[in-house]
Amino acid sequence: MPRTSNEVFVASRLPKCAGVSGWVATLPSRRPHPALHGSSTADVAIIGAGFAGLSAARRISRLDPSVGVAILEAGIVGEGPAGANSGFIIDLPHEVSADDFNGESEDRFRQSVLIQRSAIALAMEMAVEYGWGGDIFDPCGRYSVAISPEGDKHLTDYAARLSRMGEDHRLLSAGDIAAVTGSSAYTSGLFMPGTVIVQPAAYIRAVADGLNEPIRLYEQTPALSFERFGNGWLIKTPQGSVQAEKIILANNGHAESFGFFRGQLLHVFTYASLTEEFDPSRLGGERKWAATPALPMGTTVRRINTTGGDRILIRSRYSYNPGIEVNDAAIVRAGHLHDGKFVQRFPSLHGVGMQHRWAGAMALTRNHVPAFGEIARNVFAACGCNGLGASNSTASGIAAAEIALGHESELGRVYARLAAPTALPPQPLTTIGAKLHLAYREWRAGAE
């Protein structure tokens, strides 16, 4: 079939992992799906098998089980940014207290809730269908925790706004949150029951391995380029190709590697450390909980219980990396910060070391909207997670699948109303501004 245009999009770089995620390292080995060899055809090709790509495939299968889907994953499922996630599929926005709660901000709040609860609904549907246990999927809610007077005030203000919106929540005193976390460092807490907590690598694996024909997943199969071919697209991979009518680009910041959203995406990494197993009797409180910080860019903490003991996850530190990769030295530097935060919060665990450290990539936009929509004829983007990958990427994947198949929904209408990402300042102003902004936000977070 002859080409009908000169539309060609070539990847300028391929994804690279930033350390080995502790979520992956603590799972049993898994046999990847085979790489693509030779030529293949599909109705829809999805580039990327993270939260967005797999959610898009799942949604397509529910809208029309006859649609053939080919998913191209550059690496191994769960070992990319999705498996480096902290595992919070949240249902309520992190921040509302910075604004006066006028009509406009109430609308934004409800819009965020719709997006995030659409993600939870999809995940819940799969958890029921596949019979996932709490080791993969746990609708246990989340805590937001404070460690300073400013954090306490933020939680109090946020709780008042949740009350006005009719959202279930519970404020906790220092003693209450100590009874949960086993830490006397926290000065207050706020519990929100609607969040789902997942083991992100196990979750992504389970979604991928639960897909059936006519959905085909090809791992270790990066998309090197795609070009207009007849009435559709031809995607070239190292050892094969896929001809598809439509493409869903679900590779977050790497959409820019194909030339899309240039000058609109901020590539930011966040860092995490996971302790070795310790005797649960060394730390009081509940043996499983998950907490986000009261102030933006503070410290996320999770306690995970396993058969061999318990572990603590610490996530903190952000860096701007326009090349979409970080080196080992950056992970080591972030690890030193994590060690201090761990000791501050859990002095009873003195001597418990960190066993795994890693970084995860995010793609942010200046005006906090996704990089979404039809970006070329029959090419749909579900990118720009803006830091809530498990929630926002899942919802973007759902919405991209719906618009690709012409299905109308309230979620799709919300995405259709969103503004496009705004342009970033020219270099080097973007780099200078991004680094200063991240440093300022981390300074503002302080001990949090």
Side-chain angles (χ1 to χ4, degrees), residues 22-90:
W23 299 119
V24 175
T26 54
L27 286 176
S29 60
R30 163 187 171 273
R31 176 179 290 183
H33 290 243
L36 174 63
H37 293 269
S39 59
S40 181
T41 60
D43 298 307
V44 179
I46 298 174
I47 299 176
F51 285 102
L54 294 177
S55 299
R58 169 74 183 191
R59 185 61 178 141
I60 288 171
S61 74
R62 289 300 175 266
L63 291 173
D64 187 345
S66 69
V67 173
V69 178
I71 309 171
L72 305 178
E73 167 55 39
I76 295 175
V77 163
E79 296 187 8
N85 191 278
S86 292
F88 292 74
I89 310 181
I90 71 169

Side-chain angles (χ1 to χ4, degrees), residues 216-429:
R216 287 161 286 134
L217 169 62
Y218 301 101
E219 298 184 53
Q220 298 176 304
T221 304
L224 302 179
S225 67
F226 57 92
E227 60 189 76
R228 179 67 62 188
F229 196 79
N231 294 322
W233 295 93
L234 181 67
I235 307 168
K236 295 181 180 179
T237 69
Q239 301 178 75
S241 64
V242 177
Q243 186 178 340
E245 179 186 352
K246 299 175 182 178
I247 293 174
I248 294 177
L249 205 58
N251 55 351
N252 211 11
H254 276 282
E256 187 179 87
S257 302
F258 286 97
F260 299 103
F261 305 110
R262 281 185 176 161
Q264 296 175 302
L265 298 178
L266 287 166
H267 304 289
V268 173
F269 280 78
T270 184
Y271 300 81
S273 296
L274 186 66
T275 69
E276 61 193 5
E277 292 177 326
F278 60 86
D279 183 342
S281 66
R282 295 189 58 181
L283 181 64
E286 298 175 6
R287 289 192 59 197
K288 187 176 184 181
W289 50 268
T292 53
L295 298 180
M297 299 186 68
T299 305
T300 295
V301 183
R302 284 184 60 175
R303 182 173 179 176
I304 304 134
N305 61 301
T306 64
T307 55
D310 289 7
R311 298 178 187 264
I312 297 289
L313 170 84
I314 300 286
R315 192 194 77 174
S316 189
R317 177 53 55 86
Y318 295 81
S319 65
Y320 171 64
N321 301 83
I324 323 184
E325 60 180 282
V326 298
N327 56 33
D328 291 341
I331 297 175
V332 170
R333 287 193 299 270
H336 292 321
L337 176 71
H338 297 165
D339 293 345
K341 290 180 177 291
F342 174 68
V343 170
Q344 179 188 20
R345 288 159 174 77
F346 306 105
S348 68
L349 298 179
H350 176 76
V352 174
M354 296 294 178
Q355 187 174 6
H356 306 286
R357 302 190 194 273
W358 67 96
M362 302 184 293
L364 315 181
T365 60
R366 191 178 184 184
N367 53 336
H368 311 293
V369 298
F372 181 87
E374 189 169 6
I375 52 178
R377 186 160 60 89
N378 283 335
V379 178
F380 306 90
C383 304
C385 66
N386 284 290
L388 298 175
S391 303
N392 288 346
S393 292
T394 294
S396 289
I398 295 168
E402 291 180 348
I403 65 169
L405 269 59
H407 176 80
E408 291 192 8
S409 71
E410 183 56 34
L411 179 67
R413 287 187 283 273
V414 165
Y415 272 87
R417 292 193 298 267
L418 293 174
T422 54
L424 299 170
Q427 291 291 5
L429 294 180

